[in-house]
Amino acid sequence: MLFLIGINVLIKPFYLFGIDRVVQNTVGTDVYGLYAAIINFTFLLQIISDFGIQSYNNKNIAQHRNLLGKYFPNIIILKVILAGLYLLVLFPAAWLIKYEWSVFPMIFAVGINQILISLLFYMRSNVSGLGFYRTDSLLSALEKLLMILVCGTLLYVPAFKENFRIEWFIYAQMAALLIATLTAYLIVRKHLPKIKWRYNPLYLRIILRDSYPYALVLFLMTFYTKIDVVMIERILSDGRSEAGIYVSGYRLLDAVNMTGLLFASLLLPMFSRMLKLGEPIKPLFKLSVLLIWSIAIAVAANVWFFRNEISALLYVESTPYWGTVLGSLMLTYVAVSGIYILSTLITAKGQLKQMNGIFVMGIVINVLLNFFLISRDGALGAAVATIITQTFVLLSQMILIRALFKFKLNKKLVISVLCYTLLVTIVAWNFHSFSDIIWQWRFVGSGGIALLLAIVCGLIRPQELKSLK
């Protein structure tokens, strides 16, 4: 986990703020807002091209590594069929929600990228399922590293920057995804027997049947986390601008969410194998939750108090409104980080029906709140809807986890988390008030003290980290 976090902390934040943010500042909030809405729209339909195969494959290869040679050719054939179906559905869906014909080429290019992302994740699921966690960690950062090299040239060399267009960004990602996917395939190929490429409808139906529950989880989780930008852009008269503001705040949330996503990608095969072997799972689960919440609570509190300063530093068009949207979205990080860990354990257990029920309720809550709050408060309304929805999902999953694994409530640990939250909030507020020191130093100082407080409050225990080495 620490290796995975470390390698991605070096690469992905630099990509988000050194490349993705600069793209928004270069092309403008309206253009980037349209691009962000299309990204989320195409992502909503990505369930067709993925159909839960990544999670299904990750779990099964981790438990039965000898089946890789049987699964691989059949799943590749299935993914080609699903990719074609995805493109066939994409354009009628875009027409139904009244996208202009002029943006259809962009929708097509972004749709191709979504297919490549799905294929890359499938290749990586084989790598992690085989137990090559460090290799998977490096693969997770490869695409972004390639984007940094290509887009860095386009954005920072004056001759290219003057003519930069959002389409260049899309095509650069396409090239990076192709290279990363091919690299992952070559790694997996070393561990495959001689492949027999045969179309077997019966076997494909079995894979679809078994991966369906994972597909439903993916769709439901994606829907309530991605629909907000699409609704902002479609509902409001100045929707592209408001979508751009919302995405500017979400970018930082995406950067820190990387930790939860990376934890989940490693924990799924680990949890799956431990459950199969009957090994005690509570120590790893507890360690993961406390470690990620130590980070999440500190980040959320500090960003909230320094929201205007951070927004002004990152975006040339920033106003206090942008800062409020940023700060509000970052408050959801605590809930979202916990959801990553809890969802992974529930998935490894195979109890997807109950989790899907939680996500369905989350969708209903999110869509209703968005319809009401976006019309009234724009991007800020969507941020508030996100806070409420994610908190509901987190609490519901906590109840489900307790029922499934019979974990007893550790009152001492709950008090420790609450004390840590209170102390970190007080520290962040005080550091923000020291106006005679530049805010960047105050922000870093507050974060450093938060780390010490996590150790003092017992959320991070070095001896536990060593024992699980």
Side-chain angles (χ1 to χ4, degrees), residues 199-211:
Y199 176 71
N200 188 335
L202 177 61
Y203 195 75
L204 297 186
R205 283 199 295 269
I206 292 173
I207 295 175
L208 287 174
R209 182 199 66 195
D210 292 344
S211 63

Side-chain angles (χ1 to χ4, degrees), residues 342-416:
L342 272 63
S343 295
T344 302
L345 181 54
I346 296 169
T347 301
K349 181 70 172 175
Q351 302 294 326
L352 303 182
K353 184 177 180 181
Q354 297 94 322
M355 187 161 67
N356 284 339
I358 294 172
F359 288 146
V360 167
M361 290 186 285
I363 287 173
V364 173
I365 292 170
N366 189 252
V367 170
L368 291 176
L369 287 173
N370 273 328
F371 267 118
F372 174 71
L373 295 175
I374 289 174
S375 300
R376 191 187 69 179
D377 300 319
L380 181 58
V384 174
T386 300
I387 293 173
I388 297 171
T389 303
Q390 300 287 22
T391 302
F392 165 79
V393 172
L394 174 68
L395 295 175
S396 300
Q397 287 190 346
M398 284 180 171
I399 295 171
L400 178 58
I401 286 283
R402 189 177 181 188
L404 290 175
F405 295 92
K406 310 302 180 185
F407 290 162
K408 294 181 179 180
L409 182 65
N410 190 326
K411 295 180 180 179
K412 184 179 179 180
L413 204 57
V414 172
I415 293 172
S416 295

Side-chain angles (χ1 to χ4, degrees), residues 289-363:
V289 171
L290 292 181
L291 186 58
I292 202 168
W293 269 350
S294 299
I295 300 169
I297 293 168
V299 170
N302 280 283
V303 172
W304 171 256
F305 286 105
F306 290 91
R307 59 191 181 277
N308 291 330
E309 291 88 344
I310 294 172
S311 183
L313 175 68
L314 296 177
Y315 304 107
V316 295
E317 301 176 50
S318 177
T319 66
Y321 174 63
W322 287 52
T324 303
V325 172
L326 167 66
S328 299
L329 282 169
M330 286 305 301
L331 293 179
T332 68
Y333 178 39
V334 178
V336 172
S337 62
I339 289 170
Y340 274 119
I341 308 299
L342 272 63
S343 295
T344 302
L345 181 54
I346 296 169
T347 301
K349 181 70 172 175
Q351 302 294 326
L352 303 182
K353 184 177 180 181
Q354 297 94 322
M355 187 161 67
N356 284 339
I358 294 172
F359 288 146
V360 167
M361 290 186 285
I363 287 173

Side-chain angles (χ1 to χ4, degrees), residues 94-307:
W95 177 77
L96 282 174
I97 63 173
K98 300 181 180 179
Y99 272 114
E100 303 88 342
W101 289 108
S102 59
V103 303
F104 271 55
M106 185 186 294
I107 292 174
F108 176 74
V110 173
I112 294 296
N113 284 351
Q114 297 290 12
I115 291 172
L116 290 173
I117 289 171
S118 174
L119 184 58
L120 175 59
F121 281 4
Y122 167 66
M123 293 296 178
R124 285 182 51 205
S125 73
N126 288 303
V127 175
S128 62
L130 289 169
F132 303 129
Y133 302 125
R134 288 184 176 85
T135 303
D136 181 52
S137 302
L138 294 171
L139 285 172
S140 71
L142 178 59
E143 179 232 336
K144 294 297 183 285
L145 178 60
L146 293 170
M147 285 288 287
I148 290 170
L149 295 174
V150 176
C151 288
T153 302
L154 297 175
L155 288 168
Y156 291 99
V157 174
F160 294 120
K161 185 176 182 179
E162 292 176 0
N163 302 304
F164 189 87
R165 299 165 54 198
I166 194 67
E167 288 82 3
W168 293 8
F169 185 55
I170 297 170
Y171 297 143
Q173 185 181 31
M174 194 178 296
L177 285 166
L178 280 169
I179 295 171
T181 302
L182 179 60
T183 303
Y185 167 73
L186 293 175
I187 293 170
V188 175
R189 184 68 185 87
K190 294 178 182 179
H191 303 277
L192 287 171
K194 187 176 181 180
I195 298 176
K196 295 180 180 179
W197 298 98
R198 292 188 304 173
Y199 176 71
N200 188 335
L202 177 61
Y203 195 75
L204 297 186
R205 283 199 295 269
I206 292 173
I207 295 175
L208 287 174
R209 182 199 66 195
D210 292 344
S211 63
Y212 167 75
Y214 301 94
L216 190 57
V217 169
L218 176 64
F219 173 73
L220 295 175
M221 197 169 183
T222 298
F223 194 93
Y224 85 83
T225 56
K226 297 295 182 182
I227 193 64
D228 42 14
V229 177
V230 179
M231 292 181 71
I232 291 170
E233 196 267 336
R234 294 284 87 188
I235 289 174
L236 300 173
S237 57
D238 58 344
R240 292 181 181 178
S241 176
E242 286 289 316
I245 294 170
Y246 187 84
V247 171
S248 72
Y250 214 97
R251 183 172 289 112
L252 183 57
L253 181 59
D254 261 345
V256 294
N257 266 343
M258 168 192 71
T259 306
L261 184 60
L262 295 172
F263 263 60
S265 68
L266 268 185
L267 287 173
L268 180 58
M270 290 179 179
F271 282 153
S272 299
R273 193 159 183 82
M274 291 171 74
L275 288 170
K276 179 176 182 274
L277 298 175
E279 297 176 355
I281 207 164
K282 188 174 180 179
L284 179 60
F285 174 72
K286 175 186 168 185
L287 173 65
S288 303
V289 171
L290 292 181
L291 186 58
I292 202 168
W293 269 350
S294 299
I295 300 169
I297 293 168
V299 170
N302 280 283
V303 172
W304 171 256
F305 286 105
F306 290 91
R307 59 191 181 277

